[in-house]
Amino acid sequence: MRSVNQIKKKLSKARGFSVIELIIVLLIISILIVIALPQIITSRRLVRFSSLQRQVTTTLREARQEAVSQRLSITVRYDDTNKRMLVYGGRFGGIGTPQNLLVNFADEGLIIDEIMYGKPVGASGAALGDGSNIETLVGGKAEIVFQADGTVVDASNNPQNKALFFFDSKSPSGVAFAVSVLGAGGRVKIWRYSSGTNSYVE
C-alpha cells in the first residue's frame, strides 16, 4: 500500500498544460482550420453542383423517354431568371398547366445567385467534342424539343445538337459543366470543364 507521501510526490510530478502550451495548440488548430476551410467549402460546392448536373441530365433523359413512349413532342425549357427547368407537352400538359414537370435548382441546396448559365470567363468558345455548343438564351430561356422519335431537329427538320452550360460564380472553373443533346438520336451527354486543357471533357 502506497504511503501518503508517495502519492503526494506522484501528484506533484504530474502537471497540466501551461498557458503557453495551450496557446500554441490553439494556434496550430486555427492555422489548420484556415488552410482546410476553403477546400471544405469547394468540396461542398462540387458535391452540390454534381447533384445539379445529375438533375439536368435526368430531366433531359426523362423528357426524351417520354417523347418516344408517348409518340409526342416534349419540350424542356430552361428558365435562367428563376433558375429552373420546365417540362411540358404530352402527359405533362400544355405550358403553364399543373401537369408540367417543374425542376427548381434551389432544391439542390445551391445558392440561386451563384448559379450562372454559360461558360466561365476565359473558357474556350469552341464547340464540345460532339459538335454542340451553348444554346443561346432568348428572353432568358432556352428550349430543347424532343420529337416523337427522340430526335432534336431545327425548323427544316434537320438534326440539331444542343447544349446547356452552367458554372458557379464563386468557383467558375472548379465546377463548370455542360450537358449536350445529340440531335440525330437525342442522346444526352455530360461534359466537365478542365481548366488544365481549357476545354470540356466527356
Side-chain angles (χ1 to χ4, degrees):
M1 189 173 197
R2 292 183 181 177
S3 69
V4 175
N5 287 337
Q6 285 177 326
I7 292 171
K8 282 182 179 178
K9 281 182 183 178
K10 184 98 173 164
L11 287 173
S12 67
K13 286 181 181 177
R15 63 186 188 90
F17 291 111
S18 70
V19 174
I20 293 174
E21 288 172 330
L22 189 58
I23 290 172
I24 290 170
V25 169
L26 291 173
L27 185 63
I28 290 169
I29 291 171
S30 299
I31 291 169
L32 291 175
I33 289 172
V34 168
I35 291 170
L37 194 59
Q39 293 171 348
I40 292 169
I41 291 170
T42 300
S43 296
R44 286 184 65 196
R45 188 171 280 119
L46 181 59
V47 168
R48 288 175 177 172
F49 248 72
S50 294
S51 177
L52 175 61
Q53 176 183 284
R54 281 192 302 273
Q55 188 64 68
V56 171
T57 305
T58 300
T59 301
L60 288 167
R61 285 177 176 158
E62 286 180 356
R64 182 193 176 278
Q65 186 177 350
E66 285 292 330
V68 172
S69 65
Q70 295 180 50
R71 306 300 295 167
L72 294 166
S73 64
I74 302 289
T75 302
V76 178
R77 172 183 282 182
Y78 168 65
D79 180 351
D80 192 50
T81 304
N82 298 300
K83 306 296 182 187
R84 65 187 185 187
M85 296 179 84
L86 181 72
V87 182
Y88 64 93
R91 75 172 178 90
F92 296 112
I95 189 165
T97 60
Q99 297 97 322
N100 293 169
L101 173 63
L102 189 61
V103 180
N104 286 304
F105 289 0
D107 295 342
E108 300 304 317
L110 292 160
I111 298 170
I112 291 299
D113 293 338
E114 292 182 6
I115 302 172
M116 308 301 290
Y117 180 78
K119 299 179 181 181
V121 174
S124 170
L128 297 173
D130 59 9
S132 61
N133 212 329
I134 189 165
E135 186 65 15
T136 305
L137 295 176
V138 178
K141 297 174 178 65
E143 288 191 343
I144 297 176
V145 183
F146 291 96
Q147 302 302 316
D149 59 358
T151 60
V152 176
V153 298
D154 61 16
S156 302
N157 216 31
N158 297 313
Q160 186 177 41
N161 296 347
K162 298 195 173 228
L164 303 175
F165 287 72
F166 299 94
F167 67 94
D168 188 303
S169 62
K170 299 291 185 185
S171 179
S173 60
V175 295
F177 72 90
V179 179
S180 67
V181 179
L182 297 181
R187 182 183 171 200
V188 179
K189 298 165 75 175
I190 303 166
W191 305 80
R192 292 174 186 86
Y193 180 70
S194 168
S195 56
T197 60
N198 190 26
S199 63
Y200 285 80
V201 293
E202 190 177 359

